[in-house]
């Protein structure tokens, strides 16, 4: 078979002509058609589209972060919704928030950085850092809320008007960050996009709740807190679904769960 040299110096085979076909040679197909299911399986882990060679030698760290996310957000969501008389806005979950939320997400962020996945590295790193900061605010040793109380008591400071009116700005900043993540997720899949949309609503409702409670509007503030809990519960359910999808894929489970790939949609738009 004849060959020629391309511009980058690589050797490529020329298309077989009729003469070579007559000599017993047959053309080799140069394109492969994928079904919709095969395409979605190929991009099942959309945060790792641009993988380095190292990513093919190590495991996928994303399920670790998803596991830490769901086992932290689910009980916190139930607490915010005041199920079974739960209260405290997460004070009871300081340990899980630090070791299951913050630590696991931070470890995953580092692993994503090592294998060259920028977007998940930033997502897991910032959310993990938020969990650390959120827990530290409720720990008396950090003295974050106590100065807002006349008795220098952390619990009283967390419920004070000054603290709530101030802390709400952190939730607003996190809401802006979730909006950016949601826009980026529209190039990945539907599940990721809905997770960030739910988290966007969580932080918006929490900021509104803190400002309402800071102004003494307890009824409106409590409704906003419960709304934030409901949105967080939706995010946790989506996180559970995505965790199942990735774990099934990692062990080759014979079950296909769709995630709503959006990369193909962007590709079609760019082609036009």
């Amino acid at each position: 078979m004849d060959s020629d040299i391309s511009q980058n110096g690589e050797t490529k085979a020329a298309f077989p002509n009729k003469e070579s076909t007559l000599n017993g040679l047959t053309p080799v197909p140069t394109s492969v058609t994928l079904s919709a299911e095969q395409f979605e399986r190929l991009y099942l882990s959309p945060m790792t589209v641009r993988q380095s060679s190292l990513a093919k030698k190590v495991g996928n760290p994303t399920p670790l972060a998803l596991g830490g996310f769901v086992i932290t957000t689910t009980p916190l969501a139930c607490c915010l919704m005041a199920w079974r008389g739960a209260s405290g806005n997460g004070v009871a979950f300081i340990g899980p928030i630090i070791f299951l939320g913050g630590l696991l997400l931070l470890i995953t962020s580092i692993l994503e950085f090592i294998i060259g996945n920028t977007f998940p590295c930033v997502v897991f790193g910032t959310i993990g850092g938020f969990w650390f900061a959120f827990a530290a605010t409720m720990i008396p040793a950090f003295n974050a809320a106590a100065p807002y109380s006349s008795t220098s008591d952390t619990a009283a400071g967390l419920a004070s008007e000054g603290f709530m009116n101030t802390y709400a700005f952190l939730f607003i900043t996190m809401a802006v960050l979730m909006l950016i993540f949601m826009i980026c997720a529209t190039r990945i899949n539907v599940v990721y996009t809905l997770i960030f949309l739910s988290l966007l609503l969580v932080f918006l409702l929490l900021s509104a709740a803190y400002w309402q409670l800071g102004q003494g509007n307890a009824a409106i503030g409590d409704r906003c807190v419960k709304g934030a809990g409901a949105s967080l519960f939706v995010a946790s359910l989506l996180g559970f679904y995505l965790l199942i999808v990735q774990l099934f894929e990692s062990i080759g489970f014979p079950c296909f769960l769709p995630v709503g790939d959006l990369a193909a949609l962007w590709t079609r738009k760019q082609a036009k």
Side-chain angles (χ1 to χ4, degrees), residues 84-220:
R84 300 290 298 178
S87 61
N89 291 336
V91 175
F93 304 121
I94 291 179
I97 287 174
I98 294 176
F99 295 104
L100 298 178
L103 183 60
L104 289 185
L105 265 70
L106 181 60
I107 292 175
T108 306
S109 176
I110 296 173
L111 295 176
E112 297 282 8
F113 171 80
I114 292 175
I115 63 177
N117 295 331
T118 303
F119 181 59
C121 170
V122 175
V123 170
F124 298 143
T126 51
I127 296 180
F130 170 79
W131 282 130
F132 278 125
F134 185 70
T137 303
M138 297 183 290
I139 297 176
F142 283 89
N143 200 35
Y148 289 92
S149 171
S150 58
T151 59
S152 297
D153 179 66
T154 298
L158 290 172
S160 66
E161 295 181 1
F163 173 81
M164 290 187 171
N165 287 328
T166 304
Y167 204 73
F169 287 104
L170 175 62
F171 294 140
I172 284 292
T173 307
M174 288 298 297
V176 174
L177 189 62
M178 292 304 109
L179 176 61
I180 296 173
F181 289 163
M182 185 185 70
I183 295 173
C184 294
T186 57
R187 292 211 59 169
I188 302 175
N189 62 44
V190 175
V191 178
Y192 276 118
T193 304
L194 292 178
I195 288 177
F196 290 123
L197 175 60
S198 300
L199 293 178
L200 171 62
L201 296 176
V202 169
F203 289 114
L204 288 177
L205 288 170
L206 283 178
S207 61
Y210 271 51
W211 275 327
Q212 290 295 328
L213 292 172
Q215 297 298 321
N217 301 325
I220 299 178

